Each structure stands twice: as C-alpha cells, then as structure tokens.
Amino acid sequence: MSYPPSQAPPSQPPPASAAADLRPSRVRGTLVASSLAVFVAQVANALPGSLNGVFQESFATVGSQLTWITAAFMIPVVVFELTFGLLGDKLGHRKLVAGGTVLVFFGSLVCSLAPTVQMMWVGSALNGLGAGAMFPASLALVAAVTTTPRERAKAIAMWAGFLSAGAAVSPLLGGIFAGLGSWRGSYGVVAGLAVITCLITLKVAAEARVLSDRRLDLWGQITFALGLILVLFGAVQGPEEGWASSRVLFAFIAGGILLAAFIVIELRVEHPLLQLSLFRNRAFTVSSIVAVVGMFAFLGCCFAASMWLGPVQHQKPTSTGLIFLLIQGPAFILIPVISRLMGRVAARWLLTAGLGLMGLGALLASRLEVTDLSLTPFVLPMLLVGIGFALTLSPMTAIALNTVPRHLAGMASATTNLLRDLGFALGPVLVGAVALSAAGSKLGASLQAATFPADQAGAINGIFEAGGPIALNSLPPEAPGFAAQSLALEALGQGFSQAFLLCAVAAFAAALLTLVGLHGVADGHAGPDETADSLRKEEPARGR
C-alpha cells in the first residue's frame, strides 16, 4: 500500500512523497485552498487592528477590555493548536480546514451583532478556535502535496504570503466599513469569505491523513490549556488589578504549576500532544525559540501601533489601515523574492537580517512623539518591521517543518504554528501590560503633582481609578475630567514607547540567537527525511 509522506507508518521510513500520485490540478487546488484558508483566518485575526479606537467608542471600554478582544482570539489558537494537529492526523486535514471555516463563520456573525464588548470576546474566541484549526491543517496540506525541499519552500512562501496578505487587507477592510459608518459590516465580509473557503476546500483540496492510530492526550491538553490560560490571564489583568493582587498571583502560580505538569506528562505519555524529543535537534530548537520571541516582537509592534493610532491618538481607522499595509504588505508582495532567496541564501542569514530589521523599526517607533498626529513618522519604522517580518516568517517556518519527520507532518505543522502563535498571543498581552502599567504609574504621579479646579478634581480621580489613562484620554472636550486629557496622552505615549522598545530588544535578541544558534547549519531548509533518521536514533524506546 502506498502512503503519502505524512501518513507513513512510524515503523517504516517515509516514502519520498505521495504528491507524485496526485494530478497537478489537484496539487494546485490544494495549495489554493490552503492559501485561502490561512488568508481568511488571518483576516479574522487582524481585523481589530484598525478598530480598537472604534471599539473603545462603541463599547465604552476601560482598562484591559480592548486587550481581551485580541487575546480572546489568540488564546484558543495557541491552546488547542496541538490538539487540532492530532485531529487532522486522525480525521483528515481538509476536513479540519472546512470545520475551522464553519467556526469562523459563526464567530464573525457573533462579532457583527455584538451589543457589548463581552460578546465581542465570545465572537473573537470562536474565530480563534476556527483559526486554530485552519492554521496547522492548511500548512499540513501544503507539506503533503509538495515533493522536494525546494518545492516545499516555494509553497510555504506562498502560504506565508497569503497569511500576511490577510493581515494587510484586514485593517483596510475594517477602516473602510468604519468610515462608512458601520464597522460591523467588515465581520459580515469575513463570514462570507469563510463560507466560500469552506466550499473551495471541500471541492478542490486533496486530503492528507496521517497516523490515524494516534490517541488524544487528554491530560496533556487539560494541563496545557488551563496553565496557559491562567498565565495569560494574569499578564492581561496585572496592570488593571495590580501585579501583587491575589487573583493575579494565583493565576501565575497555578498556571506555572500546570505547565510544569504538562511537560512531565508529555515525557511519560505514550502518545504525547507535543513530541518533546523533536527539540533535541538544534536547528528545530533555535527556530522554535526564535518563533516565540520574534513573533512576539512583531505582533507586539502591530498591537502597539494600533493602540497608538486608535485609542491614544484617535486617528481614523483608514489611517491605521494604511499603516498596517506597510507592516503586512511586504510579506505578500515579496513572495517571489523570498521564494528565490530561500533557494539561494542560508536561512540563518535571512532570519538574522529580518529580525534585525524588525528590531530597528521598533527602536525607531519608540522615539515617536505622541503629540505628532502626522502619519509620516510612522512610515519608515513600520516599513522596516514589515520587510523584516517578510524575511523572517517563511524561512523560520521552512526550518521547523523540514526538521520534523515527515510522518509527523500534522504534529510538525501544529507545533510550528503553536510556537509562532504563542509569540503572537504574547505580543498584545505583554505589550498591553507593559504600556498600560507604565502609563498608569506615570499618570498617577502626574495627577498627584498637578492642581485642578475643584469641579474637575473629583471627576479626574474617579475616572482614572475606574478606567485608567485610556478612559481619561478618551473624554470629549468640556466633559468632567477633560482637564487631565493632555496628561493622559503624555502618559500613554511614554507607556507605548516603552512597549516599542521592549519589542526592539526582543527582535535583536532573536537575531543574535539565530546568528549564533544556527552557525554551522549549512542549509536551513534541508530535506526532512535525513532529519527523521537522526531523530529516530535519538528517540526514547517508548512507543510514540
């Protein structure tokens, strides 16, 4: 019996590829469906980017409520991505992509009708759950229908380009509908795209099923999900409730214990959710760390920019959308360039250059003046971040995917997406925590030193206690408390400048790790079969 590369039984070396058994039209159809799936998932992910200011006005949000709209999407993506990889192995990755589009349809529908910010969280969580299925399943389909490392690198470049295209188009989509008077229509468009993607996937994509005998690692999933949710909850709520509050401390301690338990379980269970032995490969380990740290830096910059232009400066959503074109557009426009470079330049140098450019862009952004409402100063920093991301995403994905044995393609794509998306999830969470904590401390000290009329002082202190700097900065003229608006604006500017600086440090650190850690790795996108052989020699004798 002939198995596709991702379906070969563990006891036998995987065949060169099963993609040769597919008609070229079927291969092309699979690549189109995979690219469209990741495009739609990323549109849903990035849509709040240009709408944070509108959400603040529509739902009168305070504190961390805006952060939770983004975090509610990313947490399900990260928490369930490995399980979706397993389900794709057992049930078929095409079916998983189709199922994910159904969830995105319902999640976008909920967001389009949401009367409160809490319902936005629900809709975003449904979207995240659907995207969590679509990200690894679509990448597994790409791996299953490509035959050589060079062909796979080109296909991954296209997949990554459409991921960035979704992130670039999404803020413009939100900005256009917000400019027309109803941001809710943008979520209606996402719901329609989800239906179209579902139909195309079921019609033209080839199925890839691997390791159908894998079993669900229930306790691994439970400890990982609860542990990660608690840690992220503590990080989001820390600036609002205080880092020493009982709820925040409990979340960090309990989450850390559960994540430690997850690692112990994965080392002992017969069918682990995450194959920890894969991290014995140096290239895979380095790319994994870089995925988390580098993608934190990237999405941290994106979130900081959306907050700076939206709730801080109150720019129009279309202006934010134009800036996001500079951030996300290069990865799509440069698809042929990146594909060619991946065949000629070692991944080590591409990753180092890309992360270095991201760090430089974030560093320049940290020096922006919050009182300058012109978009011009944003152009160079965000363009550098965008070009850096374009140089980073495809090589990083190719290294991780090609390092993992081909018969574990589902776990490979799930792990790769998990690490990247963990960095994405940490971006808004940590950036929001750093910026709002710094802004709150700065504004609190400024308010104590300032003198306000008696009719303003009470309102200022009350609004600051209830909603923090963002609430004071969003007051309309003549409203009680507006006298402190300039102080709130200055505090938020300093807070998000520190957040940009944090992203710069993270990007430079990831660049240095890449430069040193991948030294001696001649070809960052070498064929996975050789890696599979070396990993089999290193794996414990226990069953997989």
Side-chain angles (χ1 to χ4, degrees), residues 23 25-26 28-30 33 94-95 97-98 195-207:
R23 297 190 307 274
S25 61
R26 195 69 163 170
R28 288 193 297 269
T30 303
R94 184 183 66 166
K95 294 177 182 176
V97 169
V195 173
I196 294 172
T197 302
C198 181
L199 296 175
I200 290 177
T201 300
L202 293 176
K203 181 68 175 178
V204 303
E207 186 57 282

Short mmCIF file of all heavy atoms in Angstrom, two decimals, residues 23 25-26 28-30 33 94-95 97-98 195-207:
data_model
loop_
_atom_site.label_atom_id
_atom_site.label_comp_id
_atom_site.label_asym_id
_atom_site.label_seq_id
_atom_site.Cartn_x
_atom_site.Cartn_y
_atom_site.Cartn_z
N ARG A 23 -2.80 14.45 -9.35
CA ARG A 23 -2.79 15.24 -10.59
C ARG A 23 -2.29 16.64 -10.28
O ARG A 23 -2.55 17.18 -9.20
CB ARG A 23 -4.19 15.31 -11.18
CG ARG A 23 -4.76 13.96 -11.59
CD ARG A 23 -6.05 14.14 -12.39
NE ARG A 23 -7.02 14.98 -11.69
CZ ARG A 23 -7.88 14.51 -10.81
NH1 ARG A 23 -7.89 13.22 -10.49
NH2 ARG A 23 -8.73 15.32 -10.20
N SER A 25 -3.43 19.41 -11.21
CA SER A 25 -4.56 20.28 -10.87
C SER A 25 -4.99 20.10 -9.43
O SER A 25 -5.41 21.06 -8.76
CB SER A 25 -5.74 19.98 -11.81
OG SER A 25 -6.16 18.63 -11.66
N ARG A 26 -4.85 18.86 -8.92
CA ARG A 26 -5.21 18.60 -7.53
C ARG A 26 -4.21 19.25 -6.57
O ARG A 26 -4.59 19.79 -5.53
CB ARG A 26 -5.25 17.09 -7.29
CG ARG A 26 -5.96 16.68 -6.01
CD ARG A 26 -7.44 16.94 -6.09
NE ARG A 26 -8.16 16.20 -5.06
CZ ARG A 26 -9.44 16.39 -4.77
NH1 ARG A 26 -10.14 17.29 -5.44
NH2 ARG A 26 -10.02 15.68 -3.82
N ARG A 28 -2.40 21.94 -7.29
CA ARG A 28 -2.65 23.38 -7.34
C ARG A 28 -3.90 23.74 -6.54
O ARG A 28 -3.93 24.75 -5.82
CB ARG A 28 -2.80 23.84 -8.80
CG ARG A 28 -1.49 23.84 -9.59
CD ARG A 28 -1.66 24.60 -10.90
NE ARG A 28 -2.65 23.96 -11.76
CZ ARG A 28 -2.36 23.02 -12.67
NH1 ARG A 28 -1.09 22.63 -12.82
NH2 ARG A 28 -3.30 22.50 -13.41
N GLY A 29 -4.92 22.93 -6.66
CA GLY A 29 -6.15 23.19 -5.91
C GLY A 29 -5.92 23.16 -4.41
O GLY A 29 -6.47 23.97 -3.66
N THR A 30 -5.10 22.22 -3.96
CA THR A 30 -4.79 22.12 -2.54
C THR A 30 -4.03 23.34 -2.06
O THR A 30 -4.32 23.89 -0.99
CB THR A 30 -3.96 20.85 -2.26
OG1 THR A 30 -4.68 19.71 -2.73
CG2 THR A 30 -3.67 20.70 -0.78
N ALA A 33 -6.48 26.27 -1.90
CA ALA A 33 -7.37 26.15 -0.75
C ALA A 33 -6.62 26.45 0.55
O ALA A 33 -7.15 27.14 1.44
CB ALA A 33 -7.98 24.76 -0.70
N ARG A 94 -8.02 18.28 5.47
CA ARG A 94 -9.01 19.01 4.67
C ARG A 94 -10.30 19.21 5.45
O ARG A 94 -10.89 20.29 5.46
CB ARG A 94 -9.29 18.27 3.36
CG ARG A 94 -10.24 19.02 2.44
CD ARG A 94 -10.56 18.23 1.19
NE ARG A 94 -11.31 17.02 1.49
CZ ARG A 94 -11.95 16.29 0.58
NH1 ARG A 94 -11.91 16.65 -0.69
NH2 ARG A 94 -12.60 15.21 0.92
N LYS A 95 -10.73 18.15 6.14
CA LYS A 95 -11.94 18.26 6.95
C LYS A 95 -11.75 19.27 8.08
O LYS A 95 -12.69 20.00 8.44
CB LYS A 95 -12.30 16.90 7.54
CG LYS A 95 -12.71 15.87 6.50
CD LYS A 95 -12.98 14.52 7.15
CE LYS A 95 -13.33 13.46 6.10
NZ LYS A 95 -13.50 12.11 6.72
N VAL A 97 -9.79 21.95 8.02
CA VAL A 97 -9.88 23.29 7.44
C VAL A 97 -11.34 23.69 7.25
O VAL A 97 -11.76 24.80 7.61
CB VAL A 97 -9.13 23.36 6.10
CG1 VAL A 97 -9.44 24.66 5.37
CG2 VAL A 97 -7.62 23.25 6.32
N ALA A 98 -12.13 22.77 6.70
CA ALA A 98 -13.55 23.06 6.48
C ALA A 98 -14.27 23.32 7.79
O ALA A 98 -15.08 24.26 7.90
CB ALA A 98 -14.20 21.90 5.73
N VAL A 195 -17.45 31.03 4.26
CA VAL A 195 -18.31 30.11 3.51
C VAL A 195 -17.67 29.73 2.18
O VAL A 195 -17.64 28.56 1.79
CB VAL A 195 -19.70 30.75 3.29
CG1 VAL A 195 -20.54 29.88 2.36
CG2 VAL A 195 -20.42 30.94 4.62
N ILE A 196 -17.14 30.73 1.47
CA ILE A 196 -16.50 30.47 0.17
C ILE A 196 -15.30 29.55 0.35
O ILE A 196 -15.10 28.60 -0.43
CB ILE A 196 -16.07 31.81 -0.47
CG1 ILE A 196 -17.31 32.64 -0.83
CG2 ILE A 196 -15.21 31.55 -1.71
CD1 ILE A 196 -16.98 34.06 -1.29
N THR A 197 -14.50 29.79 1.37
CA THR A 197 -13.32 28.95 1.63
C THR A 197 -13.72 27.52 1.92
O THR A 197 -13.07 26.56 1.47
CB THR A 197 -12.51 29.53 2.80
OG1 THR A 197 -12.14 30.87 2.49
CG2 THR A 197 -11.26 28.70 3.05
N CYS A 198 -14.77 27.34 2.68
CA CYS A 198 -15.25 26.00 3.01
C CYS A 198 -15.62 25.23 1.74
O CYS A 198 -15.22 24.08 1.56
CB CYS A 198 -16.44 26.09 3.96
SG CYS A 198 -17.11 24.49 4.47
N LEU A 199 -16.34 25.87 0.86
CA LEU A 199 -16.78 25.21 -0.36
C LEU A 199 -15.60 24.88 -1.27
O LEU A 199 -15.52 23.78 -1.84
CB LEU A 199 -17.78 26.11 -1.10
CG LEU A 199 -19.11 26.38 -0.37
CD1 LEU A 199 -19.96 27.37 -1.15
CD2 LEU A 199 -19.87 25.09 -0.13
N ILE A 200 -14.66 25.81 -1.41
CA ILE A 200 -13.50 25.57 -2.27
C ILE A 200 -12.65 24.43 -1.71
O ILE A 200 -12.16 23.56 -2.44
CB ILE A 200 -12.66 26.86 -2.41
CG1 ILE A 200 -13.44 27.88 -3.26
CG2 ILE A 200 -11.30 26.57 -3.03
CD1 ILE A 200 -12.74 29.22 -3.39
N THR A 201 -12.46 24.42 -0.39
CA THR A 201 -11.64 23.38 0.24
C THR A 201 -12.23 22.00 0.00
O THR A 201 -11.53 21.05 -0.37
CB THR A 201 -11.51 23.64 1.74
OG1 THR A 201 -10.88 24.91 1.95
CG2 THR A 201 -10.69 22.55 2.42
N LEU A 202 -13.52 21.87 0.21
CA LEU A 202 -14.17 20.57 0.03
C LEU A 202 -14.18 20.14 -1.43
O LEU A 202 -14.19 18.95 -1.74
CB LEU A 202 -15.61 20.63 0.57
CG LEU A 202 -15.73 20.80 2.10
CD1 LEU A 202 -17.19 20.95 2.49
CD2 LEU A 202 -15.09 19.62 2.84
N LYS A 203 -14.15 21.12 -2.34
CA LYS A 203 -14.25 20.80 -3.76
C LYS A 203 -12.91 20.46 -4.39
O LYS A 203 -12.81 19.49 -5.17
CB LYS A 203 -14.86 22.01 -4.50
CG LYS A 203 -15.04 21.81 -5.99
CD LYS A 203 -16.11 20.78 -6.30
CE LYS A 203 -16.35 20.69 -7.81
NZ LYS A 203 -17.37 19.65 -8.13
N VAL A 204 -11.84 21.19 -4.09
CA VAL A 204 -10.61 21.06 -4.89
C VAL A 204 -9.40 20.57 -4.09
O VAL A 204 -8.40 20.17 -4.71
CB VAL A 204 -10.24 22.41 -5.56
CG1 VAL A 204 -11.39 22.90 -6.43
CG2 VAL A 204 -9.86 23.46 -4.53
N ALA A 205 -9.44 20.59 -2.77
CA ALA A 205 -8.26 20.22 -2.00
C ALA A 205 -8.14 18.70 -1.87
O ALA A 205 -9.14 17.99 -1.73
CB ALA A 205 -8.30 20.85 -0.61
N ALA A 206 -6.90 18.20 -1.90
CA ALA A 206 -6.64 16.79 -1.66
C ALA A 206 -6.60 16.54 -0.15
O ALA A 206 -6.22 17.42 0.62
CB ALA A 206 -5.32 16.38 -2.28
N GLU A 207 -7.00 15.36 0.25
CA GLU A 207 -6.99 15.01 1.67
C GLU A 207 -5.64 14.42 2.05
O GLU A 207 -4.98 13.79 1.24
CB GLU A 207 -8.11 13.99 1.98
CG GLU A 207 -8.27 13.67 3.45
CD GLU A 207 -8.54 14.87 4.31
OE1 GLU A 207 -7.57 15.61 4.61
OE2 GLU A 207 -9.69 15.11 4.69
#
